[in-house]
Amino acid sequence: MKILVIEDDTRVAELLKRTLQEEGFEVDVAYEGHFGKKLALQNVYDLLITDIILPEKNGLELCKEIRREKPYLPILMLTALGTTDDKLEGFDAGADDYMVKPFEIRELLARVRVLIKRAKQNATQSFLLKYADLEMNLHTKIVKRQNTEIKLTPKEFKLLEFLLQNPERVLSKEEIAQNVWGIHFDTGTNFIDVYINYLRKKIDKNFSPKLIQTKAGMGFMLKAEV
């Protein structure tokens, strides 16, 4: 776990660095905003802790600019500015949490752990699609059912991804054609039926319950067969 601290008060910066290292975190420190932004964008961090009042670039500008480039990086603002308006301004800039100096170390560590845990859960949810015992990893492009890996062609993968993104909803052939193939559906063709059959042979044939359902005259649906 790696944390970036951006704090111009060297005493506070060293306290944070030492405390976090004692908890097992790797810590980088920047003492002004411009260099802090450079570190944040060049390296991979699990959390950013920043003051608001900083030399070169203030923490609000810093937070907005980093948030545009790294929308999922959790940011904790740690500052002496403690009014409600200050806090709202910090959250509007993109901060996930806000603590006012002087702070209590145990509370800081608790908030750090919560932010990192939440970010990891969000990251996992964003690239894992699941329904029943079917799982698709959008990062590794691996599809499994009952822990058995299933090999799919790129177009089969894209079709299954669309089904997994819309479980238990009837998807018309028009919707599927537009979202998977990027074209308007030609009623004179049966290519969608063909690919649904390809998927059924790989996803359903050797497994139970069946997951890919046909709704006559309406489309297809990912739903566990009763």
Side-chain angles (χ1 to χ4, degrees):
M1 292 293 175
K2 194 169 184 179
I3 295 176
L4 173 62
V5 173
I6 307 175
E7 169 62 68
D8 63 323
D9 185 324
T10 56
R11 184 185 61 83
V12 174
E14 289 305 311
L15 171 64
L16 287 170
K17 182 177 181 179
R18 184 174 66 253
T19 299
L20 292 166
Q21 285 177 334
E22 287 173 354
E23 294 296 315
F25 295 103
E26 185 177 343
V27 184
D28 288 340
V29 177
Y31 298 97
E32 48 92 357
H34 181 73
F35 184 59
K37 178 187 173 183
K38 183 178 178 181
L39 285 178
L41 297 184
Q42 285 182 347
N43 301 300
V44 176
Y45 294 102
D46 297 283
L47 177 72
L48 167 63
I49 299 175
T50 183
D51 196 354
I52 289 182
I53 301 173
L54 292 167
E56 304 296 331
K57 184 184 292 290
N58 73 56
L60 296 173
E61 292 176 28
L62 181 74
C63 189
K64 290 176 183 177
E65 292 171 8
I66 291 173
R67 183 59 73 222
R68 282 196 293 267
E69 298 292 326
K70 294 192 172 184
Y72 302 112
L73 174 64
I75 299 175
L76 169 61
M77 282 191 170
L78 195 63
T79 176
L81 303 176
T83 69
T84 299
D85 286 342
D86 290 326
K87 292 178 181 179
L88 290 174
E89 196 172 10
F91 288 126
D92 287 342
D96 297 283
D97 203 351
Y98 192 110
M99 287 189 71
V100 179
K101 299 175 184 176
F103 54 89
E104 211 281 321
I105 285 292
R106 288 183 302 170
E107 182 183 355
L108 172 76
L109 291 173
R111 294 198 190 193
V112 164
R113 293 189 187 99
V114 167
L115 286 173
I116 291 176
K117 181 179 179 181
R118 185 191 304 158
K120 283 188 171 296
Q121 288 173 339
N122 290 341
T124 298
Q125 291 167 0
S126 67
F127 70 82
L128 273 183
L129 297 177
K130 292 183 179 182
Y131 182 79
D133 54 6
L134 178 64
E135 179 180 301
M136 172 182 282
N137 188 312
L138 298 176
H139 284 183
T140 63
K141 306 301 182 186
I142 291 174
V143 173
K144 291 182 178 181
R145 184 153 187 206
Q146 295 176 10
N147 288 323
T148 300
E149 187 171 343
I150 298 169
K151 300 294 184 183
L152 300 178
T153 66
K155 195 55 68 177
E156 290 167 352
F157 185 94
K158 189 70 176 174
L159 175 56
L160 182 59
E161 179 183 352
F162 187 56
L163 291 171
L164 280 165
Q165 288 170 337
N166 297 275
E168 300 189 358
R169 183 167 82 81
V170 177
L171 301 172
S172 69
K173 291 182 180 180
E174 289 79 5
E175 279 184 280
I176 293 171
Q178 290 173 11
N179 287 276
V180 178
W181 276 267
I183 60 174
H184 291 291
F185 179 64
D186 180 354
T187 55
T189 65
N190 69 339
F191 70 94
I192 291 178
D193 299 85
V194 170
Y195 271 90
I196 287 289
N197 285 332
Y198 288 160
L199 268 187
R200 278 200 173 110
K201 289 177 182 177
K202 296 181 177 183
I203 298 298
D204 277 346
K205 185 178 180 180
N206 298 315
F207 301 95
S208 183
K210 306 307 179 190
L211 297 180
I212 301 175
Q213 314 299 330
T214 299
K215 296 296 179 180
M218 294 185 287
F220 304 97
M221 185 181 195
L222 188 69
K223 185 176 182 180
E225 184 180 63
V226 178

